[in-house]
Amino acid sequence: MTRVITIASGKGGVGKTTITANLGVALSTYGERTVVLDADIAMANLELILGMEGKSVTLHEVLAGEASIEDAIYEGPSGVRIVPAGISLEGLRNVKLDRLEETLSRLIEDTDILLIDAPAGLEKDALAALAAADELILVTTPEVPSISDALKTKIIATKLGVTILGVVINREQHDKTFLTVDEIETILEVPVISVIPDDPEVSRSAAFGEPIVIKNPKSQVTNSIMKLAADLVGEQYHPIEPDKKGVITKLIDGLMGRR
Amino acid sequence: MELPITKPSQVSYADELELSELLEKLMEKEHNGFIRVTHGSEEGYILFKYGIQVAASYDLHLKHDALEKINSVMKKTDTLIEVFDLKKTQIDYLIDLNKVYKFDLTKKSNKTTEKPSEMIKNPSEDEYFNPKMASYREPLSNGYTAEKADDQSEVKTTPETNSVDINRDIEENNSIKSDSSVEESTENNNDDLKPIESTSKIKTSVPNQNNGDVGVNLDSKTVPNLKNETSKAKATEKSTEIENSEKPIKSEDDSSQISPGKEITSEEELILEEEPPEPQIPMDRADLMKKYGLKDIEDEEVDKVIETYKGGEVSIEDLEKIELTLMNKIKKSVMGINKIGGTEVMVFLDNTNELSGKINIICEYASKGIFSRIMGDSKDIQNLKFHISEIVEMEIRKSFREYPQIVDNFEINIDIN
């Protein structure tokens, strides 16, 4: 049976799309047939993060009734299948959200996990992404506005009968001005299932159009996302330790051909 | 320190004001707020909760070191002192925010224990925290003797002096062997062998004190195991709080030679009663929500939000109003065409997922000339239909300015007789 998991946050810019893209790739590495759907039809950027921009058929065309969903599925890294939303505003004009339900029902065929990247806010498109889900992962940064919006999203999702798997705290920093994990758990009343540290490498990966789980498999962010994916599918994950060799040692090894 | 700088309630130069008097006054007033001491480009802050000093910073110095610095610049005439008031509700948050500058609990407990002993010995003596004395308490790990010596003598003495005295005492009292300076100082205060029991109590308290630097524990969070680490750190904090609040009291009381045994316990209780509430991290959800100004959404609001998704934001009454308005607008526009003698417009709206509907228009063609009658229906009728259709679409667009594409949801039927 297909698991439909929506990644939502309430607030924009907390890293939902980045986490969705990387989680999708991570789940694929565990052998799960994963589809990542960008439901952020107005502000789509999943395709940019994965370096898949410029696709002719996207979710826009599917929701406008101009193409079938099969034509909008593209293969991404590690075999993850991606449904980009399209970044043109022209395509957005003809979108009919009512078609999303039907689209999803066709999409879950031959899929183990369908990850939906929900738009920010609580507008109709965001609610459609929430309502379509069986399970929900909330993404938040440890800041008050982000927590506040995550709380609203959680309440709405609960009302819609969606099971909330937990909270992912993104861009965690060692800063006393931010909320602690315990505080976030207490406020949201859902468990924290992953803490992803703040790492500029994530932005760099996005700029290269490559998910960080592939670009930098030894980073803490990758370890956190891989662990989250493993937890979702009940697998064991052993974190990859970063290289402890110094720069000079690496240089010497390189010169000596001992890579 | 990170503190909200607003309008100060009091501003004065150091030569016009005695810091000790100010501190005493703030203590009496149970002041919640902070003072800012500015000397040249350097700034210092002392945060107060119920008149008690809870945290201090001065330039790059913090805690007691900062107090010492503040005390030293107070002697200079160009030092500016400003007093800022804060709400009680702000204090805990600010203490939490400025944890780094917060006085260690061990020292705090020492400070609080000072109060009753001072009260007993010299009730007129100020209860405020003497920055100079505090600064000598700074080295916690090796300076416990200094703290004790300070407390015993209540005279400004350096740790070195104390250790010398203690060493001399050790030589005098050969009966007790110990590395702990605390133990030694206790012996110093007790000539007979009975206090050795109390010394053993101190022995156990010393390692706890050294380990129990709460400032370190609070900041000892690491990201990978953040959840566990945090809870561990908090558990350690709690345990050290308990240990530190109890054990140093015992040791100080022993050293101050007030009276051992039961009296100490009663004093302890007195101290604990008098001690102002510790600024604790609120873990209750309601407290946290209040602290961060968060609110749960009410059920009604949730229903409203969900209703918008279901497309039910237009009620039946609204629907009828829309129908009527649209009907009149279309009728008026169609009647504006010269060739139309009369018209009837019917609007049927459907409000399921999205607003859609059917518009039926029956028109009477007014000026059908003889030639037209002979020729039958000409292109005129078709042109008129097209014209009416355009007018109707325009009216729909005008009525739904925010959502003009709704025009596609309408089926327009025009009949011209």
Side-chain angles (χ1 to χ4, degrees), chain A residues 155-192:
Chain A
I155 293 168
I156 301 281
T158 310
K159 190 86 177 176
L160 288 168
V162 181
T163 307
I164 295 162
L165 293 174
V167 188
V168 173
I169 301 174
N170 195 24
R171 294 201 207 114
E172 166 65 23
Q173 296 175 45
H174 292 285
D175 196 320
K176 61 185 183 298
T177 52
F178 297 139
L179 279 83
T180 65
V181 175
D182 284 346
E183 284 179 327
I184 294 169
E185 264 186 352
T186 311
I187 289 169
L188 296 178
E189 293 176 305
V190 282
V192 171

mmCIF file of all heavy atoms in Angstrom, chain A residues 155-192:
data_model
loop_
_atom_site.group_PDB
_atom_site.id
_atom_site.type_symbol
_atom_site.label_atom_id
_atom_site.label_comp_id
_atom_site.label_asym_id
_atom_site.label_seq_id
_atom_site.Cartn_x
_atom_site.Cartn_y
_atom_site.Cartn_z
ATOM 1 N N ILE A 155 -2.453 21.842 13.602
ATOM 2 C CA ILE A 155 -3.849 21.831 14.058
ATOM 3 C C ILE A 155 -4.799 21.545 12.884
ATOM 4 O O ILE A 155 -5.701 20.714 12.984
ATOM 5 C CB ILE A 155 -4.206 23.170 14.760
ATOM 6 C CG1 ILE A 155 -3.419 23.288 16.070
ATOM 7 C CG2 ILE A 155 -5.696 23.259 15.046
ATOM 8 C CD1 ILE A 155 -3.459 24.670 16.704
ATOM 9 N N ILE A 156 -4.540 22.205 11.766
ATOM 10 C CA ILE A 156 -5.393 22.004 10.586
ATOM 11 C C ILE A 156 -5.270 20.556 10.085
ATOM 12 O O ILE A 156 -6.272 19.904 9.782
ATOM 13 C CB ILE A 156 -4.994 22.979 9.443
ATOM 14 C CG1 ILE A 156 -5.126 24.446 9.894
ATOM 15 C CG2 ILE A 156 -5.772 22.696 8.162
ATOM 16 C CD1 ILE A 156 -6.502 25.026 9.913
ATOM 17 N N ALA A 157 -4.038 20.069 10.042
ATOM 18 C CA ALA A 157 -3.812 18.703 9.554
ATOM 19 C C ALA A 157 -4.503 17.683 10.452
ATOM 20 O O ALA A 157 -5.093 16.714 9.964
ATOM 21 C CB ALA A 157 -2.318 18.420 9.477
ATOM 22 N N THR A 158 -4.435 17.916 11.741
ATOM 23 C CA THR A 158 -5.096 17.009 12.692
ATOM 24 C C THR A 158 -6.599 17.000 12.428
ATOM 25 O O THR A 158 -7.234 15.946 12.431
ATOM 26 C CB THR A 158 -4.803 17.456 14.144
ATOM 27 O OG1 THR A 158 -3.394 17.645 14.275
ATOM 28 C CG2 THR A 158 -5.267 16.432 15.155
ATOM 29 N N LYS A 159 -7.130 18.180 12.190
ATOM 30 C CA LYS A 159 -8.565 18.304 11.925
ATOM 31 C C LYS A 159 -8.949 17.576 10.623
ATOM 32 O O LYS A 159 -10.044 17.034 10.509
ATOM 33 C CB LYS A 159 -8.917 19.796 11.817
ATOM 34 C CG LYS A 159 -10.380 20.088 11.774
ATOM 35 C CD LYS A 159 -10.989 20.204 13.155
ATOM 36 C CE LYS A 159 -12.452 20.571 13.083
ATOM 37 N NZ LYS A 159 -13.084 20.604 14.389
ATOM 38 N N LEU A 160 -8.018 17.573 9.677
ATOM 39 C CA LEU A 160 -8.277 16.896 8.404
ATOM 40 C C LEU A 160 -8.057 15.387 8.501
ATOM 41 O O LEU A 160 -8.203 14.665 7.520
ATOM 42 C CB LEU A 160 -7.379 17.484 7.299
ATOM 43 C CG LEU A 160 -7.729 18.884 6.809
ATOM 44 C CD1 LEU A 160 -6.607 19.453 5.951
ATOM 45 C CD2 LEU A 160 -9.024 18.880 6.016
ATOM 46 N N GLY A 161 -7.664 14.944 9.694
ATOM 47 C CA GLY A 161 -7.502 13.511 9.929
ATOM 48 C C GLY A 161 -6.183 12.950 9.445
ATOM 49 O O GLY A 161 -6.063 11.746 9.200
ATOM 50 N N VAL A 162 -5.187 13.808 9.313
ATOM 51 C CA VAL A 162 -3.871 13.354 8.848
ATOM 52 C C VAL A 162 -3.031 12.928 10.060
ATOM 53 O O VAL A 162 -3.030 13.617 11.078
ATOM 54 C CB VAL A 162 -3.141 14.492 8.083
ATOM 55 C CG1 VAL A 162 -1.801 14.038 7.564
ATOM 56 C CG2 VAL A 162 -4.010 15.008 6.954
ATOM 57 N N THR A 163 -2.344 11.815 9.939
ATOM 58 C CA THR A 163 -1.469 11.350 11.026
ATOM 59 C C THR A 163 -0.170 12.150 10.983
ATOM 60 O O THR A 163 0.486 12.191 9.936
ATOM 61 C CB THR A 163 -1.137 9.851 10.852
ATOM 62 O OG1 THR A 163 -2.358 9.150 10.721
ATOM 63 C CG2 THR A 163 -0.344 9.307 12.025
ATOM 64 N N ILE A 164 0.184 12.731 12.119
ATOM 65 C CA ILE A 164 1.415 13.531 12.119
ATOM 66 C C ILE A 164 2.566 12.671 12.634
ATOM 67 O O ILE A 164 2.559 12.222 13.781
ATOM 68 C CB ILE A 164 1.224 14.816 12.942
ATOM 69 C CG1 ILE A 164 0.167 15.671 12.232
ATOM 70 C CG2 ILE A 164 2.525 15.609 13.052
ATOM 71 C CD1 ILE A 164 -0.449 16.725 13.043
ATOM 72 N N LEU A 165 3.517 12.444 11.742
ATOM 73 C CA LEU A 165 4.655 11.581 12.103
ATOM 74 C C LEU A 165 5.590 12.280 13.085
ATOM 75 O O LEU A 165 6.142 11.660 13.971
ATOM 76 C CB LEU A 165 5.432 11.193 10.846
ATOM 77 C CG LEU A 165 4.705 10.292 9.840
ATOM 78 C CD1 LEU A 165 5.547 10.126 8.592
ATOM 79 C CD2 LEU A 165 4.395 8.940 10.449
ATOM 80 N N GLY A 166 5.778 13.559 12.903
ATOM 81 C CA GLY A 166 6.664 14.298 13.806
ATOM 82 C C GLY A 166 7.179 15.579 13.179
ATOM 83 O O GLY A 166 6.763 15.955 12.084
ATOM 84 N N VAL A 167 8.095 16.172 13.900
ATOM 85 C CA VAL A 167 8.656 17.454 13.464
ATOM 86 C C VAL A 167 10.121 17.278 13.072
ATOM 87 O O VAL A 167 10.863 16.588 13.770
ATOM 88 C CB VAL A 167 8.604 18.498 14.607
ATOM 89 C CG1 VAL A 167 8.990 19.877 14.092
ATOM 90 C CG2 VAL A 167 7.253 18.543 15.244
ATOM 91 N N VAL A 168 10.485 17.910 12.007
ATOM 92 C CA VAL A 168 11.900 17.969 11.640
ATOM 93 C C VAL A 168 12.357 19.397 11.909
ATOM 94 O O VAL A 168 11.780 20.352 11.375
ATOM 95 C CB VAL A 168 12.107 17.615 10.148
ATOM 96 C CG1 VAL A 168 13.549 17.854 9.727
ATOM 97 C CG2 VAL A 168 11.711 16.176 9.891
ATOM 98 N N ILE A 169 13.351 19.523 12.761
ATOM 99 C CA ILE A 169 13.884 20.857 13.043
ATOM 100 C C ILE A 169 15.036 21.101 12.066
ATOM 101 O O ILE A 169 16.057 20.419 12.120
ATOM 102 C CB ILE A 169 14.344 20.990 14.503
ATOM 103 C CG1 ILE A 169 13.169 20.719 15.446
ATOM 104 C CG2 ILE A 169 14.921 22.386 14.759
ATOM 105 C CD1 ILE A 169 13.539 20.673 16.893
ATOM 106 N N ASN A 170 14.828 22.055 11.210
ATOM 107 C CA ASN A 170 15.845 22.340 10.200
ATOM 108 C C ASN A 170 16.669 23.563 10.611
ATOM 109 O O ASN A 170 16.200 24.419 11.353
ATOM 110 C CB ASN A 170 15.164 22.597 8.847
ATOM 111 C CG ASN A 170 16.135 22.535 7.691
ATOM 112 O OD1 ASN A 170 17.181 21.891 7.787
ATOM 113 N ND2 ASN A 170 15.810 23.203 6.609
ATOM 114 N N ARG A 171 17.870 23.613 10.129
ATOM 115 C CA ARG A 171 18.796 24.726 10.390
ATOM 116 C C ARG A 171 18.998 24.968 11.882
ATOM 117 O O ARG A 171 18.943 26.091 12.362
ATOM 118 C CB ARG A 171 18.304 26.006 9.729
ATOM 119 C CG ARG A 171 18.331 25.897 8.252
ATOM 120 C CD ARG A 171 18.337 27.259 7.626
ATOM 121 N NE ARG A 171 17.744 27.167 6.323
ATOM 122 C CZ ARG A 171 16.603 27.726 5.961
ATOM 123 N NH1 ARG A 171 15.933 28.457 6.819
ATOM 124 N NH2 ARG A 171 16.134 27.566 4.755
ATOM 125 N N GLU A 172 19.198 23.889 12.605
ATOM 126 C CA GLU A 172 19.462 24.003 14.038
ATOM 127 C C GLU A 172 20.848 24.640 14.232
ATOM 128 O O GLU A 172 21.811 24.258 13.564
ATOM 129 C CB GLU A 172 19.400 22.613 14.677
ATOM 130 C CG GLU A 172 19.974 22.491 16.068
ATOM 131 C CD GLU A 172 19.225 23.273 17.123
ATOM 132 O OE1 GLU A 172 18.038 23.574 16.926
ATOM 133 O OE2 GLU A 172 19.844 23.596 18.140
ATOM 134 N N GLN A 173 20.891 25.604 15.117
ATOM 135 C CA GLN A 173 22.154 26.280 15.410
ATOM 136 C C GLN A 173 22.397 26.261 16.914
ATOM 137 O O GLN A 173 21.463 26.182 17.667
ATOM 138 C CB GLN A 173 22.093 27.735 14.953
ATOM 139 C CG GLN A 173 21.943 27.905 13.465
ATOM 140 C CD GLN A 173 21.762 29.353 13.091
ATOM 141 O OE1 GLN A 173 22.457 30.228 13.575
ATOM 142 N NE2 GLN A 173 20.799 29.614 12.254
ATOM 143 N N HIS A 174 23.636 26.366 17.252
ATOM 144 C CA HIS A 174 23.960 26.460 18.687
ATOM 145 C C HIS A 174 23.744 27.903 19.123
ATOM 146 O O HIS A 174 24.676 28.643 19.335
ATOM 147 C CB HIS A 174 25.410 26.056 18.937
ATOM 148 C CG HIS A 174 25.657 24.610 18.691
ATOM 149 N ND1 HIS A 174 25.252 23.634 19.566
ATOM 150 C CD2 HIS A 174 26.240 23.969 17.656
ATOM 151 C CE1 HIS A 174 25.596 22.454 19.085
ATOM 152 N NE2 HIS A 174 26.188 22.636 17.928
ATOM 153 N N ASP A 175 22.508 28.267 19.193
ATOM 154 C CA ASP A 175 22.223 29.657 19.541
ATOM 155 C C ASP A 175 21.150 29.686 20.613
ATOM 156 O O ASP A 175 20.075 29.101 20.448
ATOM 157 C CB ASP A 175 21.743 30.401 18.282
ATOM 158 C CG ASP A 175 21.796 31.900 18.466
ATOM 159 O OD1 ASP A 175 21.453 32.361 19.570
ATOM 160 O OD2 ASP A 175 22.187 32.604 17.520
ATOM 161 N N LYS A 176 21.459 30.379 21.671
ATOM 162 C CA LYS A 176 20.542 30.386 22.817
ATOM 163 C C LYS A 176 19.256 31.172 22.556
ATOM 164 O O LYS A 176 18.304 31.076 23.298
ATOM 165 C CB LYS A 176 21.245 30.926 24.055
ATOM 166 C CG LYS A 176 21.741 32.360 23.921
ATOM 167 C CD LYS A 176 22.519 32.766 25.141
ATOM 168 C CE LYS A 176 22.969 34.212 25.082
ATOM 169 N NZ LYS A 176 23.866 34.536 23.985
ATOM 170 N N THR A 177 19.267 31.959 21.485
ATOM 171 C CA THR A 177 18.059 32.735 21.195
ATOM 172 C C THR A 177 16.957 31.882 20.580
ATOM 173 O O THR A 177 15.816 32.307 20.541
ATOM 174 C CB THR A 177 18.375 33.896 20.224
ATOM 175 O OG1 THR A 177 19.048 33.357 19.109
ATOM 176 C CG2 THR A 177 19.200 34.966 20.877
ATOM 177 N N PHE A 178 17.309 30.711 20.113
ATOM 178 C CA PHE A 178 16.305 29.866 19.468
ATOM 179 C C PHE A 178 15.691 28.890 20.464
ATOM 180 O O PHE A 178 16.235 28.650 21.539
ATOM 181 C CB PHE A 178 16.928 29.104 18.299
ATOM 182 C CG PHE A 178 17.437 30.010 17.208
ATOM 183 C CD1 PHE A 178 18.630 29.756 16.580
ATOM 184 C CD2 PHE A 178 16.709 31.128 16.828
ATOM 185 C CE1 PHE A 178 19.102 30.589 15.578
ATOM 186 C CE2 PHE A 178 17.165 31.967 15.828
ATOM 187 C CZ PHE A 178 18.366 31.704 15.204
ATOM 188 N N LEU A 179 14.603 28.305 20.066
ATOM 189 C CA LEU A 179 13.912 27.355 20.925
ATOM 190 C C LEU A 179 14.667 26.029 20.963
ATOM 191 O O LEU A 179 15.279 25.626 19.963
ATOM 192 C CB LEU A 179 12.487 27.110 20.417
ATOM 193 C CG LEU A 179 11.454 28.158 20.805
ATOM 194 C CD1 LEU A 179 11.494 29.337 19.856
ATOM 195 C CD2 LEU A 179 10.067 27.569 20.807
ATOM 196 N N THR A 180 14.589 25.368 22.106
ATOM 197 C CA THR A 180 15.258 24.073 22.228
ATOM 198 C C THR A 180 14.345 22.983 21.670
ATOM 199 O O THR A 180 13.153 23.208 21.460
ATOM 200 C CB THR A 180 15.583 23.767 23.691
ATOM 201 O OG1 THR A 180 14.349 23.635 24.400
ATOM 202 C CG2 THR A 180 16.425 24.853 24.334
ATOM 203 N N VAL A 181 14.936 21.820 21.506
ATOM 204 C CA VAL A 181 14.172 20.681 20.986
ATOM 205 C C VAL A 181 12.997 20.363 21.921
ATOM 206 O O VAL A 181 11.867 20.148 21.474
ATOM 207 C CB VAL A 181 15.096 19.449 20.835
ATOM 208 C CG1 VAL A 181 14.305 18.231 20.425
ATOM 209 C CG2 VAL A 181 16.183 19.726 19.826
ATOM 210 N N ASP A 182 13.291 20.364 23.217
ATOM 211 C CA ASP A 182 12.244 20.065 24.199
ATOM 212 C C ASP A 182 11.111 21.072 24.130
ATOM 213 O O ASP A 182 9.933 20.716 24.233
ATOM 214 C CB ASP A 182 12.840 20.037 25.619
ATOM 215 C CG ASP A 182 13.621 18.765 25.862
ATOM 216 O OD1 ASP A 182 13.460 17.838 25.053
ATOM 217 O OD2 ASP A 182 14.376 18.704 26.842
ATOM 218 N N GLU A 183 11.489 22.317 23.976
ATOM 219 C CA GLU A 183 10.461 23.374 23.903
ATOM 220 C C GLU A 183 9.583 23.202 22.669
ATOM 221 O O GLU A 183 8.366 23.340 22.744
ATOM 222 C CB GLU A 183 11.134 24.754 23.896
ATOM 223 C CG GLU A 183 11.646 25.175 25.257
ATOM 224 C CD GLU A 183 12.339 26.527 25.246
ATOM 225 O OE1 GLU A 183 12.975 26.868 24.232
ATOM 226 O OE2 GLU A 183 12.256 27.231 26.253
ATOM 227 N N ILE A 184 10.213 22.871 21.567
ATOM 228 C CA ILE A 184 9.454 22.682 20.315
ATOM 229 C C ILE A 184 8.508 21.488 20.449
ATOM 230 O O ILE A 184 7.346 21.558 20.068
ATOM 231 C CB ILE A 184 10.417 22.517 19.119
ATOM 232 C CG1 ILE A 184 11.181 23.832 18.889
ATOM 233 C CG2 ILE A 184 9.666 22.116 17.853
ATOM 234 C CD1 ILE A 184 12.339 23.735 17.936
ATOM 235 N N GLU A 185 9.032 20.432 21.039
ATOM 236 C CA GLU A 185 8.190 19.240 21.256
ATOM 237 C C GLU A 185 7.004 19.569 22.143
ATOM 238 O O GLU A 185 5.882 19.149 21.891
ATOM 239 C CB GLU A 185 9.018 18.133 21.909
ATOM 240 C CG GLU A 185 9.560 17.155 20.916
ATOM 241 C CD GLU A 185 10.255 15.966 21.556
ATOM 242 O OE1 GLU A 185 10.453 15.968 22.783
ATOM 243 O OE2 GLU A 185 10.609 15.045 20.816
ATOM 244 N N THR A 186 7.276 20.342 23.179
ATOM 245 C CA THR A 186 6.208 20.688 24.126
ATOM 246 C C THR A 186 5.157 21.559 23.463
ATOM 247 O O THR A 186 3.962 21.343 23.642
ATOM 248 C CB THR A 186 6.811 21.427 25.355
ATOM 249 O OG1 THR A 186 7.915 20.675 25.830
ATOM 250 C CG2 THR A 186 5.794 21.580 26.454
ATOM 251 N N ILE A 187 5.601 22.536 22.695
ATOM 252 C CA ILE A 187 4.647 23.460 22.066
ATOM 253 C C ILE A 187 3.824 22.745 20.985
ATOM 254 O O ILE A 187 2.605 22.858 20.949
ATOM 255 C CB ILE A 187 5.385 24.679 21.476
ATOM 256 C CG1 ILE A 187 5.904 25.564 22.613
ATOM 257 C CG2 ILE A 187 4.471 25.491 20.559
ATOM 258 C CD1 ILE A 187 6.871 26.647 22.185
ATOM 259 N N LEU A 188 4.482 22.015 20.141
ATOM 260 C CA LEU A 188 3.774 21.388 19.020
ATOM 261 C C LEU A 188 3.079 20.092 19.417
ATOM 262 O O LEU A 188 2.221 19.588 18.681
ATOM 263 C CB LEU A 188 4.736 21.130 17.857
ATOM 264 C CG LEU A 188 5.355 22.370 17.203
ATOM 265 C CD1 LEU A 188 6.320 21.955 16.090
ATOM 266 C CD2 LEU A 188 4.283 23.275 16.610
ATOM 267 N N GLU A 189 3.464 19.557 20.531
ATOM 268 C CA GLU A 189 2.883 18.299 21.050
ATOM 269 C C GLU A 189 3.037 17.144 20.057
ATOM 270 O O GLU A 189 2.139 16.313 19.920
ATOM 271 C CB GLU A 189 1.403 18.514 21.397
ATOM 272 C CG GLU A 189 1.215 19.467 22.569
ATOM 273 C CD GLU A 189 -0.240 19.758 22.858
ATOM 274 O OE1 GLU A 189 -0.942 20.185 21.924
ATOM 275 O OE2 GLU A 189 -0.669 19.577 24.003
ATOM 276 N N VAL A 190 4.125 17.174 19.336
ATOM 277 C CA VAL A 190 4.484 16.056 18.458
ATOM 278 C C VAL A 190 5.984 15.801 18.612
ATOM 279 O O VAL A 190 6.739 16.725 18.911
ATOM 280 C CB VAL A 190 4.146 16.328 16.964
ATOM 281 C CG1 VAL A 190 2.687 16.150 16.683
ATOM 282 C CG2 VAL A 190 4.577 17.689 16.512
ATOM 283 N N PRO A 191 6.411 14.546 18.434
ATOM 284 C CA PRO A 191 7.835 14.277 18.657
ATOM 285 C C PRO A 191 8.732 14.882 17.588
ATOM 286 O O PRO A 191 8.326 15.009 16.425
ATOM 287 C CB PRO A 191 7.908 12.746 18.613
ATOM 288 C CG PRO A 191 6.716 12.335 17.832
ATOM 289 C CD PRO A 191 5.642 13.342 18.081
ATOM 290 N N VAL A 192 9.922 15.244 18.011
ATOM 291 C CA VAL A 192 10.930 15.714 17.048
ATOM 292 C C VAL A 192 11.602 14.467 16.470
ATOM 293 O O VAL A 192 12.212 13.695 17.206
ATOM 294 C CB VAL A 192 11.955 16.649 17.729
ATOM 295 C CG1 VAL A 192 13.113 16.949 16.791
ATOM 296 C CG2 VAL A 192 11.290 17.936 18.165
#
